[in-house]
Amino acid sequence: MKEYVPRSGELFVVSGPSGAGKGTICRRLMEDPEEDQLMLSVSATTRAPREGEVDGVNYYFLSREEFEKRIENEEFLEYAEVYGNLYGTPLQPVLDTLAQGKDVLLEIDTQGAAKVKGTYPEGIFLFILPPSMRVLRQRLEGRGTDTQEVIERRLANTKAEVEEIGMYDYYVLNDDLEEAVATAKSILRAERTRVEKYALDLIRKFEEEE
Amino acid sequence: MKEYVPRSGELFVVSGPSGAGKGTICRRLMEDPEEDQLMLSVSATTRAPREGEVDGVNYYFLSREEFEKRIENEEFLEYAEVYGNLYGTPLQPVLDTLAQGKDVLLEIDTQGAAKVKGTYPEGIFLFILPPSMRVLRQRLEGRGTDTQEVIERRLANTKAEVEEIGMYDYYVLNDDLEEAVATAKSILRAERTRVEKYALDLIRKFEEEE
């Protein structure tokens, strides 16, 4: 298809509660050899690089001063402060990739996704849905690492996050991982064949080859 | 997924110019064992049954009087007269199947699809796109069965049909059949995970299992 229709890329935003499996699903998408036109968005952060982390690959490592200057200049799709460090999604690399006709995959928590919805509503928003409160509770209690209080707080957070699902375009039920990955791949594939985005290009291309 | 979310079914309308391959793609969808919740819409007609054709399977065979009464009663999603015979898509079987939470696949020419868009705009409309005018011309001329005049008329028709693609939700480029079938399957799968249709059901289901 990429030889057939000139198109700008899509921003696919993958979000959902922590523990829903969004990281695993994104990794699987990036490993798919058919997804060679899909680029993973790299975040910026003010935290120090850890051993082996490469600037521009794992993160863009910025000083706080530089990060704050970029906030000022509206150079982030979204950003947030977590435990004293700033994290954000740089806008320009995303726009550059989309302009090349490639797609961008952005894995982000639900608060970040809500901000991206505000700054780039044209994105395609996928919500990774854990199987159910019951299964989540079993998993957390089965681990035996958290106190009952922590488990209750986490379940309440997850419930609140799921109640924001209305903002998203698609849900991906992560009950069975292989099924979830297949669903996510189908969504990417289907979105690339939406007529409203490509109809004029299609008609031109179809006719010009006569 | 079908155990997870109570849902009403989707009407998938597959259309496109004649020769684009919509029949083959629909047959492949119906043969897919994963598509056991997909029902093929059966047309009604006033033409006489041919040897081996079964009422209710190949067609609903109706008298002209009965057919016209049903037109009067608005019992068709669409209908048309072709070479003196009436053909139509009965509405009630489609609605019954959808109400059971099953999906309906309707293969139809572009004029019929335009009528269905008017009577059931909630449908998901797929346009099967032939590779290009150039390839179509080569195929028709290669066959050697049609006069140049017939070929030109047919190509002009196809061109006019492709220019109506804006009415559709998705296009399926039928350059390579396997790719086209995979694209169509992805569209069906993706449409079944749209949040706007199922969000409330999802939240209820997610929480009630606690």
Side-chain angles (χ1 to χ4, degrees):
Chain A
M1 197 192 73
K2 41 185 188 280
E3 282 168 28
Y4 191 73
V5 187
R7 58 188 284 277
S8 70
E10 303 287 350
L11 174 62
F12 294 107
V13 180
V14 174
S15 190
S18 72
K22 52 186 184 291
T24 308
I25 290 170
C26 285
R27 201 158 47 242
R28 289 286 301 273
L29 290 173
M30 292 309 301
E31 287 168 4
D32 182 352
E34 287 190 12
E35 289 292 352
D36 60 337
Q37 298 293 300
L38 185 66
M39 305 291 139
L40 191 67
S41 171
V42 176
S43 297
T45 183
T46 58
R47 81 152 166 75
R50 290 174 192 148
E51 174 113 16
E53 285 186 338
V54 179
D55 187 47
V57 175
N58 304 94
Y59 283 96
Y60 297 104
F61 294 102
L62 303 180
S63 67
R64 177 167 279 263
E65 190 189 352
E66 176 63 24
F67 200 113
E68 286 174 347
K69 204 185 77 189
R70 296 194 186 182
I71 293 174
E72 198 70 25
N73 295 339
E74 301 185 338
E75 292 180 39
F76 290 106
L77 259 172
E78 58 76 40
Y79 69 92
E81 183 145 7
V82 182
Y83 297 123
N85 289 309
L86 288 161
Y87 293 83
T89 306
L91 177 60
Q92 201 54 51
V94 170
L95 295 182
D96 290 346
T97 306
L98 299 179
Q100 291 167 33
K102 296 179 183 173
D103 299 324
V104 175
L105 186 65
L106 174 59
E107 180 204 336
I108 196 163
D109 64 22
T110 55
Q111 291 189 345
K115 292 178 188 170
V116 175
K117 182 80 178 179
T119 49
Y120 197 83
E122 305 86 353
I124 311 297
F125 291 77
L126 282 70
F127 191 94
I128 311 300
L129 192 68
S132 69
M133 289 291 276
R134 188 178 47 75
V135 172
L136 269 189
R137 180 184 291 281
Q138 285 169 353
R139 282 185 193 167
L140 292 172
E141 292 178 349
R143 265 190 226 164
T145 53
D146 296 314
T147 64
Q148 200 59 34
E149 194 197 328
V150 168
I151 290 175
E152 295 304 331
R153 198 180 331 130
R154 188 152 162 201
L155 287 172
N157 282 345
T158 299
K159 196 166 158 172
E161 286 176 289
V162 170
E163 284 171 1
E164 285 171 28
I165 201 170
M167 185 202 92
Y168 292 78
D169 299 298
Y170 298 97
Y171 69 91
V172 177
L173 175 63
N174 193 5
D175 191 355
D176 175 275
L177 178 64
E178 294 310 316
E179 286 296 311
V181 170
T183 299
K185 288 183 184 178
S186 291
I187 292 166
L188 270 54
R189 184 169 189 143
E191 276 294 331
R192 291 170 180 142
T193 67
R194 289 193 76 84
V195 165
E196 62 180 332
K197 289 181 189 160
Y198 309 114
L200 263 180
D201 285 337
L202 279 170
I203 293 172
R204 263 188 220 128
K205 186 77 185 166
F206 181 76
E207 293 179 355
E208 84 190 5
E209 290 192 54
E210 193 176 2
Chain B
M1 197 194 73
K2 43 187 189 277
E3 282 169 28
Y4 191 74
V5 187
R7 58 188 283 277
S8 70
E10 304 286 350
L11 174 61
F12 293 106
V13 180
V14 173
S15 191
S18 71
K22 53 187 183 292
T24 308
I25 290 170
C26 285
R27 202 157 47 243
R28 289 286 300 274
L29 289 174
M30 293 308 300
E31 287 167 3
D32 182 352
E34 287 190 12
E35 289 292 352
D36 60 337
Q37 297 294 299
L38 185 66
M39 305 291 139
L40 191 67
S41 171
V42 177
S43 297
T45 183
T46 59
R47 82 152 165 76
R50 290 175 193 148
E51 175 113 17
E53 285 186 336
V54 179
D55 187 46
V57 175
N58 305 94
Y59 283 98
Y60 297 104
F61 294 103
L62 303 179
S63 67
R64 177 167 279 266
E65 190 190 354
E66 176 63 25
F67 200 113
E68 287 173 345
K69 204 183 79 188
R70 295 194 187 183
I71 293 174
E72 198 69 27
N73 294 338
E74 302 185 339
E75 293 181 37
F76 290 106
L77 260 172
E78 59 75 41
Y79 69 93
E81 183 144 6
V82 182
Y83 297 123
N85 289 310
L86 287 162
Y87 293 83
T89 306
L91 177 60
Q92 202 55 50
V94 170
L95 295 182
D96 290 346
T97 306
L98 298 180
Q100 291 167 35
K102 294 178 183 173
D103 300 324
V104 176
L105 185 66
L106 173 59
E107 181 204 336
I108 196 163
D109 65 22
T110 56
Q111 291 188 345
K115 291 177 189 170
V116 175
K117 182 80 179 182
T119 50
Y120 197 82
E122 305 85 352
I124 310 297
F125 291 77
L126 282 69
F127 190 94
I128 311 298
L129 192 68
S132 69
M133 289 291 276
R134 186 177 48 78
V135 172
L136 270 189
R137 179 183 292 281
Q138 285 170 352
R139 283 185 193 168
L140 292 172
E141 291 179 349
R143 266 189 227 163
T145 52
D146 297 314
T147 64
Q148 200 60 34
E149 193 195 331
V150 169
I151 290 175
E152 296 303 333
R153 199 183 330 132
R154 190 153 161 202
L155 287 172
N157 281 346
T158 299
K159 195 166 159 171
E161 286 176 289
V162 170
E163 284 171 1
E164 286 171 27
I165 201 171
M167 184 202 92
Y168 292 78
D169 298 299
Y170 298 97
Y171 69 90
V172 176
L173 174 64
N174 193 5
D175 190 356
D176 174 275
L177 178 64
E178 295 309 316
E179 286 295 311
V181 170
T183 298
K185 287 183 185 178
S186 291
I187 292 166
L188 271 55
R189 183 168 191 145
E191 276 294 331
R192 291 169 180 143
T193 67
R194 288 194 76 85
V195 166
E196 62 180 335
K197 289 180 187 159
Y198 309 114
L200 263 181
D201 285 338
L202 278 170
I203 293 172
R204 265 190 219 124
K205 186 76 184 169
F206 181 76
E207 292 179 355
E208 85 190 5
E209 291 191 57
E210 193 176 3

PDB file of all heavy atoms in Angstrom, chain A residues 125-139:
ATOM      1  N   PHE A 125      -6.367   6.546  19.075  1.00  0.00           N
ATOM      2  CA  PHE A 125      -6.136   6.238  20.491  1.00  0.00           C
ATOM      3  C   PHE A 125      -6.628   4.833  20.822  1.00  0.00           C
ATOM      4  O   PHE A 125      -7.803   4.522  20.659  1.00  0.00           O
ATOM      5  CB  PHE A 125      -6.817   7.288  21.375  1.00  0.00           C
ATOM      6  CG  PHE A 125      -6.144   8.633  21.281  1.00  0.00           C
ATOM      7  CD1 PHE A 125      -6.343   9.456  20.181  1.00  0.00           C
ATOM      8  CD2 PHE A 125      -5.287   9.064  22.284  1.00  0.00           C
ATOM      9  CE1 PHE A 125      -5.705  10.687  20.075  1.00  0.00           C
ATOM     10  CE2 PHE A 125      -4.641  10.291  22.190  1.00  0.00           C
ATOM     11  CZ  PHE A 125      -4.847  11.101  21.085  1.00  0.00           C
ATOM     12  N   LEU A 126      -5.682   4.003  21.288  1.00  0.00           N
ATOM     13  CA  LEU A 126      -5.982   2.615  21.662  1.00  0.00           C
ATOM     14  C   LEU A 126      -5.884   2.476  23.177  1.00  0.00           C
ATOM     15  O   LEU A 126      -4.892   2.899  23.778  1.00  0.00           O
ATOM     16  CB  LEU A 126      -4.982   1.647  21.021  1.00  0.00           C
ATOM     17  CG  LEU A 126      -5.142   1.275  19.555  1.00  0.00           C
ATOM     18  CD1 LEU A 126      -4.806   2.464  18.652  1.00  0.00           C
ATOM     19  CD2 LEU A 126      -4.231   0.105  19.204  1.00  0.00           C
ATOM     20  N   PHE A 127      -6.886   1.875  23.750  1.00  0.00           N
ATOM     21  CA  PHE A 127      -6.906   1.640  25.198  1.00  0.00           C
ATOM     22  C   PHE A 127      -6.698   0.156  25.453  1.00  0.00           C
ATOM     23  O   PHE A 127      -7.496  -0.674  25.011  1.00  0.00           O
ATOM     24  CB  PHE A 127      -8.251   2.082  25.776  1.00  0.00           C
ATOM     25  CG  PHE A 127      -8.293   2.120  27.286  1.00  0.00           C
ATOM     26  CD1 PHE A 127      -8.031   3.297  27.964  1.00  0.00           C
ATOM     27  CD2 PHE A 127      -8.606   0.993  28.023  1.00  0.00           C
ATOM     28  CE1 PHE A 127      -8.079   3.357  29.356  1.00  0.00           C
ATOM     29  CE2 PHE A 127      -8.649   1.030  29.415  1.00  0.00           C
ATOM     30  CZ  PHE A 127      -8.382   2.223  30.076  1.00  0.00           C
ATOM     31  N   ILE A 128      -5.615  -0.173  26.140  1.00  0.00           N
ATOM     32  CA  ILE A 128      -5.362  -1.584  26.469  1.00  0.00           C
ATOM     33  C   ILE A 128      -6.124  -1.898  27.759  1.00  0.00           C
ATOM     34  O   ILE A 128      -5.875  -1.282  28.798  1.00  0.00           O
ATOM     35  CB  ILE A 128      -3.859  -1.871  26.658  1.00  0.00           C
ATOM     36  CG1 ILE A 128      -3.046  -1.297  25.489  1.00  0.00           C
ATOM     37  CG2 ILE A 128      -3.628  -3.370  26.812  1.00  0.00           C
ATOM     38  CD1 ILE A 128      -3.396  -1.850  24.132  1.00  0.00           C
ATOM     39  N   LEU A 129      -7.058  -2.821  27.630  1.00  0.00           N
ATOM     40  CA  LEU A 129      -7.980  -3.100  28.729  1.00  0.00           C
ATOM     41  C   LEU A 129      -7.592  -4.400  29.428  1.00  0.00           C
ATOM     42  O   LEU A 129      -7.511  -5.453  28.795  1.00  0.00           O
ATOM     43  CB  LEU A 129      -9.393  -3.225  28.143  1.00  0.00           C
ATOM     44  CG  LEU A 129     -10.566  -3.246  29.107  1.00  0.00           C
ATOM     45  CD1 LEU A 129     -10.751  -1.900  29.796  1.00  0.00           C
ATOM     46  CD2 LEU A 129     -11.848  -3.609  28.355  1.00  0.00           C
ATOM     47  N   PRO A 130      -7.334  -4.349  30.732  1.00  0.00           N
ATOM     48  CA  PRO A 130      -7.073  -5.594  31.465  1.00  0.00           C
ATOM     49  C   PRO A 130      -8.358  -6.427  31.475  1.00  0.00           C
ATOM     50  O   PRO A 130      -9.443  -5.881  31.296  1.00  0.00           O
ATOM     51  CB  PRO A 130      -6.736  -5.118  32.874  1.00  0.00           C
ATOM     52  CG  PRO A 130      -6.721  -3.618  32.849  1.00  0.00           C
ATOM     53  CD  PRO A 130      -7.422  -3.179  31.612  1.00  0.00           C
ATOM     54  N   PRO A 131      -8.242  -7.743  31.686  1.00  0.00           N
ATOM     55  CA  PRO A 131      -9.403  -8.628  31.552  1.00  0.00           C
ATOM     56  C   PRO A 131     -10.582  -8.205  32.429  1.00  0.00           C
ATOM     57  O   PRO A 131     -11.699  -8.138  31.984  1.00  0.00           O
ATOM     58  CB  PRO A 131      -8.881  -9.995  31.972  1.00  0.00           C
ATOM     59  CG  PRO A 131      -7.402  -9.919  31.905  1.00  0.00           C
ATOM     60  CD  PRO A 131      -7.017  -8.483  32.020  1.00  0.00           C
ATOM     61  N   SER A 132     -10.340  -7.921  33.707  1.00  0.00           N
ATOM     62  CA  SER A 132     -11.432  -7.539  34.603  1.00  0.00           C
ATOM     63  C   SER A 132     -10.842  -7.170  35.956  1.00  0.00           C
ATOM     64  O   SER A 132      -9.706  -7.526  36.276  1.00  0.00           O
ATOM     65  CB  SER A 132     -12.426  -8.675  34.792  1.00  0.00           C
ATOM     66  OG  SER A 132     -11.815  -9.706  35.542  1.00  0.00           O
ATOM     67  N   MET A 133     -11.618  -6.461  36.772  1.00  0.00           N
ATOM     68  CA  MET A 133     -11.193  -6.129  38.137  1.00  0.00           C
ATOM     69  C   MET A 133     -10.871  -7.407  38.917  1.00  0.00           C
ATOM     70  O   MET A 133      -9.905  -7.454  39.675  1.00  0.00           O
ATOM     71  CB  MET A 133     -12.315  -5.363  38.848  1.00  0.00           C
ATOM     72  CG  MET A 133     -12.523  -3.968  38.329  1.00  0.00           C
ATOM     73  SD  MET A 133     -11.160  -2.841  38.716  1.00  0.00           S
ATOM     74  CE  MET A 133     -11.636  -2.356  40.383  1.00  0.00           C
ATOM     75  N   ARG A 134     -11.688  -8.418  38.693  1.00  0.00           N
ATOM     76  CA  ARG A 134     -11.504  -9.665  39.427  1.00  0.00           C
ATOM     77  C   ARG A 134     -10.131 -10.286  39.142  1.00  0.00           C
ATOM     78  O   ARG A 134      -9.388 -10.663  40.047  1.00  0.00           O
ATOM     79  CB  ARG A 134     -12.628 -10.639  39.046  1.00  0.00           C
ATOM     80  CG  ARG A 134     -12.691 -11.926  39.854  1.00  0.00           C
ATOM     81  CD  ARG A 134     -13.885 -12.791  39.411  1.00  0.00           C
ATOM     82  NE  ARG A 134     -13.995 -12.924  37.960  1.00  0.00           N
ATOM     83  CZ  ARG A 134     -13.210 -13.695  37.218  1.00  0.00           C
ATOM     84  NH1 ARG A 134     -12.267 -14.427  37.783  1.00  0.00           N
ATOM     85  NH2 ARG A 134     -13.374 -13.743  35.911  1.00  0.00           N
ATOM     86  N   VAL A 135      -9.777 -10.359  37.840  1.00  0.00           N
ATOM     87  CA  VAL A 135      -8.492 -10.947  37.453  1.00  0.00           C
ATOM     88  C   VAL A 135      -7.334 -10.089  37.947  1.00  0.00           C
ATOM     89  O   VAL A 135      -6.322 -10.603  38.461  1.00  0.00           O
ATOM     90  CB  VAL A 135      -8.427 -11.131  35.914  1.00  0.00           C
ATOM     91  CG1 VAL A 135      -7.034 -11.564  35.480  1.00  0.00           C
ATOM     92  CG2 VAL A 135      -9.471 -12.141  35.465  1.00  0.00           C
ATOM     93  N   LEU A 136      -7.483  -8.760  37.838  1.00  0.00           N
ATOM     94  CA  LEU A 136      -6.431  -7.863  38.334  1.00  0.00           C
ATOM     95  C   LEU A 136      -6.193  -8.091  39.822  1.00  0.00           C
ATOM     96  O   LEU A 136      -5.050  -8.168  40.293  1.00  0.00           O
ATOM     97  CB  LEU A 136      -6.839  -6.412  38.116  1.00  0.00           C
ATOM     98  CG  LEU A 136      -6.441  -5.735  36.821  1.00  0.00           C
ATOM     99  CD1 LEU A 136      -6.740  -4.251  36.915  1.00  0.00           C
ATOM    100  CD2 LEU A 136      -4.971  -5.950  36.497  1.00  0.00           C
ATOM    101  N   ARG A 137      -7.303  -8.187  40.570  1.00  0.00           N
ATOM    102  CA  ARG A 137      -7.182  -8.406  42.026  1.00  0.00           C
ATOM    103  C   ARG A 137      -6.458  -9.720  42.320  1.00  0.00           C
ATOM    104  O   ARG A 137      -5.552  -9.775  43.154  1.00  0.00           O
ATOM    105  CB  ARG A 137      -8.572  -8.405  42.665  1.00  0.00           C
ATOM    106  CG  ARG A 137      -8.572  -8.631  44.171  1.00  0.00           C
ATOM    107  CD  ARG A 137      -9.983  -8.706  44.741  1.00  0.00           C
ATOM    108  NE  ARG A 137     -10.664  -7.428  44.696  1.00  0.00           N
ATOM    109  CZ  ARG A 137     -10.451  -6.434  45.570  1.00  0.00           C
ATOM    110  NH1 ARG A 137      -9.573  -6.585  46.550  1.00  0.00           N
ATOM    111  NH2 ARG A 137     -11.108  -5.301  45.460  1.00  0.00           N
ATOM    112  N   GLN A 138      -6.850 -10.766  41.588  1.00  0.00           N
ATOM    113  CA  GLN A 138      -6.190 -12.065  41.781  1.00  0.00           C
ATOM    114  C   GLN A 138      -4.689 -11.964  41.525  1.00  0.00           C
ATOM    115  O   GLN A 138      -3.875 -12.507  42.276  1.00  0.00           O
ATOM    116  CB  GLN A 138      -6.790 -13.109  40.831  1.00  0.00           C
ATOM    117  CG  GLN A 138      -8.169 -13.609  41.262  1.00  0.00           C
ATOM    118  CD  GLN A 138      -8.854 -14.438  40.177  1.00  0.00           C
ATOM    119  OE1 GLN A 138      -8.365 -14.530  39.056  1.00  0.00           O
ATOM    120  NE2 GLN A 138      -9.987 -15.033  40.512  1.00  0.00           N
ATOM    121  N   ARG A 139      -4.331 -11.243  40.434  1.00  0.00           N
ATOM    122  CA  ARG A 139      -2.912 -11.116  40.099  1.00  0.00           C
ATOM    123  C   ARG A 139      -2.154 -10.400  41.205  1.00  0.00           C
ATOM    124  O   ARG A 139      -1.087 -10.841  41.630  1.00  0.00           O
ATOM    125  CB  ARG A 139      -2.750 -10.317  38.791  1.00  0.00           C
ATOM    126  CG  ARG A 139      -3.049 -11.129  37.550  1.00  0.00           C
ATOM    127  CD  ARG A 139      -2.752 -10.303  36.313  1.00  0.00           C
ATOM    128  NE  ARG A 139      -3.308 -10.928  35.112  1.00  0.00           N
ATOM    129  CZ  ARG A 139      -3.419 -10.325  33.949  1.00  0.00           C
ATOM    130  NH1 ARG A 139      -3.024  -9.063  33.810  1.00  0.00           N
ATOM    131  NH2 ARG A 139      -3.916 -10.952  32.906  1.00  0.00           N
TER     132      ARG A 139
END
